[in-house]
Amino acid sequence: MFYRASLQAAAALASLSLLAGCGLLSDSSSETDQQITVGTTSSPSTLDPAAAWDGSWELMRNVFQTLVSFPTGSTSPEPDAADSCTFTDETSMAYRCTLRKNLKFSNGEKIDAEAVKHSIDRIRTIKVKGGPLGMLGSLDRVETKGDDEVIFHLNKSDATFPFILATPAMSLVAPGEYPKDKLRSDGKVTGSGPYLLESYTPKKISELTKNPDYKGFANRKNNAVTIRYFDDSASMVNALKKKEIDATYRGLTAEEVVSLEDNKSDNNGLQIVETVGADIRFLVFNPQDPAAGNPAVRRAIAQLVNRDALVAKVYQGTAEPLYSMVPKGIAGHTTSFFDTFGDPSEARARSILTKAGITEPVKMTFWFTTDRYGSSTAPEFAELKRQLEESGLFEITLKSAPWTAFQEGFTKGKYPVFGRGWFPDFPDPDNFIAPFVGKESVTGTPYLNAEITDELLPSSRQESDRGAVSKHFEQAQQILVEDVRLLPLWQGKLYVAAGEDIGGGERALDPQTVMQLWELYRKTSW
């Protein structure tokens, strides 16, 4: 969940001042007035950062600190618990951070260099399956100098390392409360972030209050936040309409977004704030399958898929077509698949297959998961099947499985073609290429391409100016187009629905598209 020259999502948010005309935050607002309730369908799977590589980051961003983070409006990591951080060499292999003075955890423990080392080292010691250990592949060791200096020594050049440190998985934890060799198991949180977690009921509710000892960049515009976790979006939207919650984030369906946008007069003044998202969906082709392993078959599918029809019919405009693995808003984004294949064409697809000696309809099985990417996944694959079969060139069988079984299946190479999604860990093009190539591809199907893994990625990681690496990733994307081992389909849009008296939504999403709850406030009228 990942992981992110840089994403412009936060800056792209439409101003939430549209929600309530000319309301302003009043200095005289009572503490009660500045209690905000947010609803989401994404509840944490863990409270321990050493196990978190998923939607748990939403809560962690607000109760923990990281050495560097993304202050509102920033698109690259800047100091948070650190006073300063910088690479000490030109090859991006040593990253040094000096801590802010007089920081402490909510239990009174001092935040010093040893606490930082403890927080990072335990991720590598505990090695939680499916946890964030995979993000630290370039880290060799953590060195401390005195109480306030930490040096991260890398085993290879990696200019994306500051972005990794900015993820909530790298949150700083109190050594006295978080064992070095196992996860914390008492259901509590000890951090140094903007809020304290006063109480937590799994899959139900989190109660957050201001941390009086917090020292960081967050300008908290409310006094307390309640997060309610809903099993489904319908009940969440119903609670919003009844004013039982003030805002929603994560979980709105396409139909609900459209309804809220089109029926404003019937929705008690509720409004929608939209931004470009960085989550993507794509098809993965297994090269070991006789059909999917044939480049002509893959190219023919790429020539037929109509992304415009897909997002219009299934997602009703709440997603947008994607023509490269690097989405819009990220440095290095291209439209390479469109540049190569152009508009969907049955004639060109037929020609591709005929030249490869394929004259009969190609029979293939497409797999998707039923419980990972939302209720629209099944209709999405039904539309893909319709498009391909309408050409007369393919016969598609659809199969599905719950995520656990689905994940086991694709990692064992059982599926010829399957759908995957990617929620980035950080806003950098590296995070949209590197995870999908090499022997340990997160898709479960090794993708060996020496030019990408041995030349383009290592070269780009030596460049600390991430705005200067676009050419590397443009090259990498062209290779992906030529192979068509991965076929990008669409990228999502993000929506915050809120009452007309709630402000701050235009600043509430950081470049990792994680909610910064401190930006939300209740407006008062003129």
Side-chain angles (χ1 to χ4, degrees):
M1 286 247 324
F2 34 175
Y3 300 18
R4 319 107 129 22
S6 299
L7 179 63
Q8 303 296 326
L13 278 164
S15 173
L16 198 63
S17 62
L18 295 174
L19 297 186
C22 298
L24 293 173
L25 176 64
S26 169
D27 292 336
S28 62
S29 295
S30 69
E31 183 169 324
T32 300
D33 287 340
Q34 289 309 312
Q35 292 181 340
I36 305 293
T37 301
V38 175
T40 180
T41 60
S42 178
S43 61
S45 65
T46 178
L47 295 182
D48 192 325
W53 202 359
D54 58 13
S56 304
W57 287 8
E58 207 74 54
L59 177 61
M60 292 178 184
R61 171 60 74 216
N62 293 278
V63 296
F64 291 108
Q65 275 185 294
T66 45
L67 284 173
V68 292
S69 189
F70 293 96
T72 301
S74 171
T75 54
S76 59
E78 296 182 16
D80 184 5
D83 182 61
S84 64
C85 287
T86 186
F87 279 107
T88 63
D89 62 333
E90 294 182 357
T91 58
S92 301
M93 291 190 64
Y95 192 67
R96 180 175 60 205
C97 291
T98 302
L99 293 172
R100 287 179 187 257
K101 301 292 185 182
N102 303 318
L103 290 182
K104 63 180 180 179
F105 292 106
S106 56
N107 67 346
E109 284 187 63
K110 181 181 179 181
I111 300 179
D112 57 15
E114 284 299 328
V116 174
K117 177 176 170 60
H118 172 86
S119 300
I120 304 302
D121 281 351
R122 66 189 297 269
I123 296 173
R124 308 172 77 200
T125 299
I126 300 172
K127 299 179 181 178
V128 174
K129 184 178 181 180
L133 175 63
M135 299 174 66
L136 293 173
S138 64
L139 179 61
D140 179 48
R141 61 188 174 90
V142 184
E143 177 189 5
T144 63
K145 287 190 174 182
D147 285 345
D148 61 356
E149 188 172 317
V150 185
I151 303 174
F152 299 91
H153 295 277
L154 309 184
N155 52 37
K156 55 188 174 183
S157 297
D158 188 1
T160 71
F161 191 73
F163 290 84
I164 294 168
L165 285 182
T167 67
M170 306 300 150
S171 294
L172 305 183
V173 298
E177 305 281 359
Y178 291 83
K180 67 178 181 179
D181 56 357
K182 63 181 179 179
L183 298 177
R184 184 173 182 174
S185 58
D186 62 0
K188 296 181 180 180
V189 162
T190 306
S192 60
Y195 296 96
L196 304 175
L197 182 63
E198 292 291 348
S199 65
Y200 173 71
T201 303
K203 297 185 177 182
K204 294 295 183 183
I205 197 168
S206 292
E207 296 284 359
L208 281 62
T209 59
K210 268 187 176 180
N211 178 1
D213 297 317
Y214 170 70
K215 294 179 181 179
F217 67 81
N219 178 18
R220 293 164 294 182
K221 298 175 182 176
N222 57 64
N223 296 292
V225 178
T226 297
I227 307 174
R228 286 183 55 187
Y229 304 109
F230 292 85
D231 293 330
D232 58 81
S233 60
S235 56
M236 179 175 70
V237 172
N238 187 50
L240 181 66
K241 290 180 177 180
K242 290 182 176 179
K243 300 187 182 300
E244 295 171 352
I245 60 177
D246 298 306
T248 71
Y249 181 58
R250 296 228 187 263
L252 292 176
T253 66
E255 293 78 11
E256 287 161 346
V257 170
V258 171
S259 176
L260 289 170
E261 286 182 325
D262 292 349
N263 301 297
K264 295 177 181 178
S265 60
D266 300 327
N267 291 324
N268 297 321
L270 297 179
Q271 299 287 337
I272 290 284
V273 175
E274 173 189 311
T275 183
V276 174
D279 60 307
I280 64 173
R281 299 292 185 276
F282 54 97
L283 294 179
V284 181
F285 294 92
N286 185 346
Q288 301 304 313
D289 178 78
N294 188 329
V297 171
R298 302 196 298 264
R299 290 179 65 83
I301 292 174
Q303 186 63 74
L304 286 172
V305 169
N306 189 329
R307 295 168 177 80
D308 288 326
L310 180 67
V311 300
K313 291 182 179 181
V314 179
Y315 293 98
Q316 301 181 50
T318 61
E320 56 187 310
L322 181 63
Y323 294 97
S324 75
M325 291 300 290
V326 178
K328 186 168 73 174
I330 301 291
H333 166 70
T334 69
T335 56
S336 48
F337 273 87
F338 184 83
D339 298 341
T340 300
F341 294 100
D343 291 322
S345 170
E346 177 188 324
R348 288 197 293 270
R350 186 180 300 276
S351 176
I352 291 170
L353 293 175
T354 301
K355 288 179 180 179
I358 300 172
T359 57
E360 297 293 324
V362 181
K363 297 181 179 181
M364 303 183 77
T365 300
F366 283 27
W367 282 81
F368 63 91
T369 182
T370 57
D371 59 353
R372 177 79 168 182
Y373 304 125
S375 60
S376 296
T377 306
E380 174 183 339
F381 273 76
E383 172 61 15
L384 288 172
K385 171 183 168 71
R386 184 198 68 77
Q387 291 182 12
L388 296 177
E389 291 188 338
E390 189 176 61
S391 70
L393 302 175
F394 290 90
E395 292 180 9
I396 306 298
T397 299
L398 298 181
K399 291 188 178 181
S400 61
W403 174 252
T404 301
F406 179 78
Q407 187 177 37
E408 180 180 354
F410 73 67
T411 55
K412 292 183 177 180
K414 293 182 178 180
Y415 303 153
V417 185
F418 56 96
R420 279 297 311 269
W422 183 247
F423 300 90
D425 304 314
F426 51 87
D428 187 274
D430 188 282
N431 198 235
F432 293 91
I433 300 292
F436 311 127
V437 296
K439 293 181 180 179
E440 303 299 327
S441 167
V442 296
T443 66
T445 57
Y447 186 173
L448 305 179
N449 186 286
E451 186 176 356
I452 295 178
T453 58
D454 299 345
E455 297 177 27
L456 295 174
L457 288 176
S459 177
S460 72
R461 289 170 178 170
Q462 293 181 26
E463 179 57 71
S464 58
D465 178 4
R466 302 309 290 164
V469 300
S470 292
K471 62 182 184 297
H472 297 83
F473 293 100
E474 289 168 4
Q475 254 181 284
Q477 288 173 86
Q478 190 56 44
I479 294 170
L480 298 183
V481 171
E482 293 165 1
D483 289 349
V484 198
R485 287 277 305 278
L486 307 167
L487 183 64
L489 297 173
W490 56 268
Q491 71 180 92
K493 297 179 182 179
L494 296 175
Y495 296 89
V496 175
E500 61 182 353
D501 62 332
I502 300 299
E506 78 282 3
R507 297 169 59 84
L509 303 182
D510 76 0
Q512 294 163 312
T513 64
V514 171
M515 180 74 91
Q516 299 179 142
L517 294 172
W518 57 84
E519 293 288 354
L520 299 177
Y521 62 88
R522 194 175 306 281
K523 298 179 178 181
T524 58
S525 59
W526 289 100

